[in-house]
Amino acid sequence: MAARRDFTRESLADGVRAGDRRALARAITLVENSYPLAYEVVRDLYPETGRAYAVGVTGPPGVGKSSLISALVRHVREQERSVGVISVDPSSPFTQGALLGDRIRLADHFLDPEVFIRSMGTRGHLGGLAEATLQALLVLDAAGKELVFLETVGTGQGEVEVIGIADTVVLVLMPGSGDSIQALKAGIMEIPDVIAINKSDHPAAKTMLNEVRSVLALDTESDWQPPIVLTEAMRGENVPELWEKIEEHRAHLESEGLLEQRRRENLAGEVFAVASSRARDHLQRAVADDPELRRLLDEVQSRKLDPLTAVREIMEKVFNLEDEDGTRA
Ligand SMILES: Nc1nc2c(ncn2[C@@H]2O[C@H](COP(=O)(O)OP(=O)(O)OP(=O)(O)O)[C@@H](O)[C@H]2O)c(=O)[nH]1
Ligand SMILES: [Mg+2]
């Protein structure tokens, strides 16, 4: 899927600006495969972004994130708002694999020209999923999507970079998501802005609600107490209420000037996340390609050289860095 003849840097950027589906699809495919043209187009579009509101939806596998997003999309479409959905599946090596399940659940919206849905797996990204997600979000933003939902599977840490660009983060749990409760309690998982306990048709939903409440009660300092909504995505139960809570969070951020602050922090975080991921790749490649650096690793493994000395030498050689390895007195 190379950049085809029919799109140039200018025509692709213009197509995205006009919200043209074919241009959008092409731009995101290029983003996904780290094509230089995608980089140039996002660079051209970037000054026009910052208008879309990004809602991150995270939670353990199978809790109903896609189903809830589908229901939320239905709800906001009644208000005539244009929507983008990026569904990120870090466990899927193939985009197609990631697509299949979500396709079925989001299929209701495929005929709606104001809804653009895209799944992304890990294939093809040189810069990792955080980079691809950020770029895809910027493309949808430039295309004038008012709302963008970012879905990613998460149990605490790995998803942070993907979801870290969201303005409002919704954590979806279901009866039986005990591990997530533990992760919240232990502070491994960040407290989200809104919590949905989905599959409320399940008999243990109320128990789950109480458990989540008791964990949140531990935090009395924050000026925003995350609301908890019991939902049933399949029947659209309490979906308007969930959307209302998301809107309330947005209003909270906007009224206190916190949205601007959060976005600045998110963008800085993304720059560091992407740069770190690239630096790591560069380091791994450099070590793999350099027999002398590989020998340092061997020596550590055979206990001839201590790890920090190896780190120091590798950093010096690969990044020209000295004294950055914590070995200072
Ligand atoms: N009983 C019940 N089942 C639900 C509800 N919401 C979703 N499901 C079902 O739960 C399963 C998983 O739903 P998805 O929306 O794919 O969940 P997900 O969190 O996006 O899953 P992954 O993306 O694979 O992590 C599907 O079989 C849904 O039909 C609900 O409210 N009640
Ligand atoms: Mg899903």
Side-chain angles (χ1 to χ4, degrees):
M1 263 179 284
R4 292 188 200 158
R5 274 176 259 109
D6 48 353
F7 277 115
T8 61
R9 177 172 177 172
E10 289 73 25
S11 69
L12 191 53
D14 285 344
V16 168
R17 281 188 191 100
D20 171 58
R21 288 180 84 82
R22 210 170 59 93
L24 264 177
R26 184 69 49 79
I28 295 181
T29 297
L30 295 177
V31 156
E32 236 189 334
N33 294 289
S34 310
Y35 273 88
L37 180 58
Y39 162 80
E40 287 165 0
V41 166
V42 173
R43 187 175 158 181
D44 292 345
L45 295 171
Y46 188 67
E48 299 152 47
T49 61
R51 291 170 300 171
Y53 197 82
V55 178
V57 178
T58 185
V63 292
K65 298 177 294 297
S66 300
S67 309
L68 261 185
I69 290 174
S70 181
L72 285 167
V73 169
R74 195 170 304 125
H75 181 67
V76 298
R77 285 300 297 138
E78 284 165 13
Q79 305 163 6
E80 310 267 303
R81 305 170 82 175
S82 62
V83 186
V85 180
I86 305 169
S87 180
V88 183
D89 187 350
S91 65
S92 165
F94 304 110
T95 310
Q96 303 310 325
L99 249 169
L100 195 63
D102 293 328
R103 246 213 176 133
I104 298 162
R105 281 177 265 294
L106 291 161
D108 299 2
H109 306 293
F110 279 139
L111 293 176
D112 184 341
E114 296 299 322
V115 180
F116 188 90
I117 298 165
R118 187 58 175 255
S119 292
M120 302 214 268
T122 48
R123 186 184 55 173
H125 306 301
L126 298 176
L129 273 177
E131 178 176 324
T133 311
L134 172 63
Q135 299 282 97
L137 170 64
L138 292 172
V139 167
L140 291 175
D141 188 337
K145 297 297 176 205
E146 295 166 65
L147 298 164
V148 178
F149 291 95
L150 297 172
E151 173 187 349
T152 186
V153 178
T155 42
Q157 291 165 315
E159 79 282 12
V160 167
E161 290 167 10
V162 171
I163 215 78
I165 202 68
D167 297 314
T168 293
V169 176
V170 180
L171 172 65
V172 185
L173 301 172
M174 65 177 224
S177 302
D179 291 354
S180 302
I181 301 285
Q182 292 311 319
L184 281 172
K185 208 184 247 170
I188 297 166
M189 194 192 282
E190 256 193 76
I191 302 290
D193 303 308
V194 177
I195 297 180
I197 299 177
N198 191 41
K199 309 200 185 182
S200 59
D201 47 318
H202 192 286
K206 287 268 154 52
T207 313
M208 193 67 196
L209 176 66
N210 290 331
E211 283 178 44
V212 175
R213 276 207 182 117
S214 67
V215 171
L216 294 185
L218 300 174
D219 175 18
T220 49
E221 311 252 293
S222 315
D223 52 356
W224 173 260
Q225 285 292 318
I228 313 168
V229 188
L230 280 171
T231 58
E232 192 187 334
M234 301 315 286
R235 296 198 303 127
E237 202 67 40
N238 267 355
V239 167
E241 288 73 9
L242 175 60
W243 181 248
E244 208 172 286
K245 296 303 175 194
I246 295 169
E247 292 273 44
E248 277 173 26
H249 180 251
R250 177 181 188 164
H252 163 75
L253 290 180
E254 285 174 345
S255 70
E256 314 261 319
L258 296 171
L259 182 60
E260 186 56 33
Q261 189 187 325
R262 182 179 277 218
R263 287 186 164 180
R264 290 175 65 93
E265 285 167 11
N266 283 353
L267 285 168
E270 291 298 303
V271 168
F272 279 112
V274 173
S276 309
S277 143
R278 289 197 176 187
R280 189 190 170 91
D281 289 347
H282 177 70
L283 192 56
Q284 274 170 344
R285 261 196 315 275
V287 172
D289 293 346
D290 185 332
E292 204 184 311
L293 294 179
R294 280 207 312 276
R295 185 180 48 78
L296 291 173
L297 278 186
D298 290 342
E299 286 181 7
V300 171
Q301 286 157 349
S302 60
R303 302 204 179 256
K304 288 192 198 112
L305 185 72
D306 68 286
L308 289 192
T309 304
V311 169
R312 171 178 271 187
E313 290 191 28
I314 290 171
M315 295 303 277
E316 249 179 60
K317 189 143 186 215
V318 179
F319 295 120
N320 293 317
L321 288 180
E322 283 176 51
D323 260 359
E324 290 281 348
D325 53 358
T327 54
R328 268 166 294 190

